[in-house]
């Protein structure tokens, strides 16, 4: 069966990865944009973005996102920019939703929407239904397309409920985040099950966490999904060897795709595959 070209998302920063874990983590808007460019050159068509305060603290500051996205538009003009609305555990809805207020060149084309609460290591990633609905409402009002982040199986079902309430359109694009301690484990049967539950015509990406990242990428390629890799979810390119940036992980995925005869999508192909508006 011929699958569509592979959309590779690079998750460059995240909220949890630290400079103590890896010196290659980009922090400033300039560093993040330079890393985005390297990932574009390596084969990524989309970047999933978080931002950091200068001291490395996770942030959802609209101003930091504005600086970051405007610089990415200069360095890698065709990349699809997707902002987080998850932020870091413990953030309020207003804090999390700040990137949805961006306009003009800084406006993201996509943003994440996690559709349920989940254990997140020893923390709780808190997404009660009223909060999810509020973020979905703001995203829709801003004309930003959601990527539905599923850390557990019920989060797919919740997308149907949101669609019924007119808060999102189906089919949609889903991201299966697998291997977070306390949430759904990273295994083939999880991908197969989640895929079987998707609304007709939907697309999906798989983001494996930690050591599961590249094995899950390989499975996603094989099963017709798309792939997310990067330092947000994993800092190693092989056992004990730090990736020198998310770009090295993107390079690995391109090699895996080549080995499985799967083409890699350009950003404009990614827009078509993910049902995003064409670039102006
Ligand atoms: N940092 C996690 C608590 C997202 O970007 O939408 C949430 C997260 C998901 O990273
Ligand atoms: Zn994220």
């Amino acid at each position: 069966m011929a699958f569509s070209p592979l959309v590779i998302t690079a998750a460059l920063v995240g909220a949890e990865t630290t400079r103590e874990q890896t010196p290659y983590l980009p922090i400033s808007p300039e560093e993040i944009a330079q890393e985005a460019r390297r990932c574009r050159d390596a084969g990524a068509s989309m970047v999933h973005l978080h931002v950091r305060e200068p001291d490395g603290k996770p942030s959802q500051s609209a101003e930091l996102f504005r600086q970051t996205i405007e610089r990415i538009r200069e360095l890698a003009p065709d990349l699809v920019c997707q902002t987080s609305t998850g932020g870091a555990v413990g953030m309020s809805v207003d804090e999390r939703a700040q990137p949805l207020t961006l306009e003009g060149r800084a406006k993201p084309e996509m943003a994440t929407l996690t559709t349920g609460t989940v254990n997140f290591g020893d923390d709780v990633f808190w997404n009660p239904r009223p909060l999810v609905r509020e973020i979905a409402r703001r995203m829709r009002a801003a004309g930003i397309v959601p990527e539905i982040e599923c850390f557990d199986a019920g989060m797919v079902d919740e997308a149907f409920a949101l669609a019924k309430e007119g808060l999102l359109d189906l089919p949609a694009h889903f991201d299966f985040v697998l291997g977070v301690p306390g949430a759904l484990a990273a295994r083939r049967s999880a991908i197969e099950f989640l895929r079987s539950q998707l609304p007709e015509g939907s697309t999906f990406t798989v983001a494996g966490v930690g050591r599961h990242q590249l094995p899950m990428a390989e499975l996603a390629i094989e099963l017709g999904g798309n792939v997310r890799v990067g330092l947000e979810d994993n800092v190693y390119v092989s056992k004990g060897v730090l990736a020198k940036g998310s770009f090295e992980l993107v390079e690995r995925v391109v090699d895996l795709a080549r080995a499985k005869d799967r083409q890699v999508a350009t950003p404009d192909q990614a827009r078509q595959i993910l049902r995003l508006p064409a670039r102006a």
Side-chain angles (χ1 to χ4, degrees):
M1 181 179 177
F3 293 125
S4 56
L6 179 74
V7 177
I8 304 176
T9 302
L12 310 175
V13 187
E16 291 78 27
T17 307
T18 65
R19 275 274 168 91
E20 284 67 49
Q21 289 171 300
T22 173
Y24 303 109
L25 182 75
I27 285 180
S28 69
E30 180 66 23
E31 287 168 349
I32 298 170
Q34 294 286 351
E35 184 59 33
R37 171 71 217 201
R38 285 189 284 274
C39 287
R40 167 70 184 96
D41 291 344
S45 45
M46 171 148 72
V47 281
H48 167 73
L49 297 168
H50 290 247
V51 289
R52 300 291 181 100
E53 299 295 337
D55 65 359
K57 190 170 165 270
S59 168
Q60 286 287 101
S61 151
E63 175 55 20
L64 287 170
F65 272 114
R66 184 189 67 72
Q67 291 173 23
T68 303
I69 295 173
E70 286 185 352
R71 187 69 178 131
I72 291 174
R73 304 273 191 230
E74 286 171 5
L75 295 179
D78 60 353
L79 262 181
V80 179
C81 286
Q82 178 200 86
T83 55
S84 171
T85 67
V89 290
M91 286 181 175
S92 70
V93 64
D94 286 336
E95 236 176 320
R96 286 170 56 172
Q98 287 179 79
L100 305 179
T101 63
L102 292 164
E103 288 178 351
R105 266 164 66 77
K107 180 174 166 174
E109 292 161 278
M110 282 193 120
T112 54
L113 178 68
T114 300
T115 48
T117 295
V118 65
N119 281 332
F120 196 83
D122 291 342
D123 294 315
V124 177
F125 182 27
W126 189 246
N127 292 291
R129 296 181 101 193
L131 181 150
V132 173
R133 276 146 184 77
E134 184 55 31
I135 293 181
R137 237 187 310 275
R138 293 189 199 188
M139 209 178 292
R140 198 167 182 78
I144 296 169
V145 177
E147 176 180 271
I148 300 164
E149 305 289 298
C150 300
F151 293 75
D152 233 323
M155 296 186 194
V156 175
D157 295 300
E158 192 64 355
F160 286 95
L162 287 160
K164 253 194 188 156
E165 294 167 34
L167 290 171
L168 58 80
D169 295 323
L170 296 179
H173 182 61
F174 291 75
D175 182 28
F176 305 150
V177 186
L178 301 178
V180 170
L184 191 57
R187 51 176 177 250
R188 184 188 185 104
S189 58
I191 303 176
E192 287 173 338
F193 175 72
L194 293 168
R195 181 183 62 166
S196 75
Q197 301 304 301
L198 293 182
E200 188 65 34
S202 293
T203 45
F204 70 96
T205 285
V206 179
V209 173
R211 67 189 166 83
H212 303 292
Q213 185 165 83
L214 291 170
M216 287 296 107
E218 190 166 12
L219 272 175
I221 293 166
E222 196 179 310
L223 295 171
N226 301 285
V227 170
R228 171 172 126 173
V229 287
L231 300 188
E232 171 164 346
D233 303 324
N234 162 50
V235 297
Y236 295 106
V237 71
S238 59
K239 198 168 189 295
V241 181
L242 288 174
K244 291 194 172 55
S246 295
F247 75 95
E248 275 201 346
L249 295 158
V250 172
E251 285 172 356
R252 288 300 169 102
V253 174
V254 170
D255 290 344
L256 291 170
R258 213 165 270 146
K260 291 194 184 296
D261 273 339
R262 184 102 184 256
Q263 269 189 4
V264 173
T266 64
D268 286 335
Q269 285 175 321
R271 286 181 175 83
Q272 278 186 352
I273 293 163
L274 305 180
R275 295 165 297 275
L276 299 172
R279 235 168 1 123

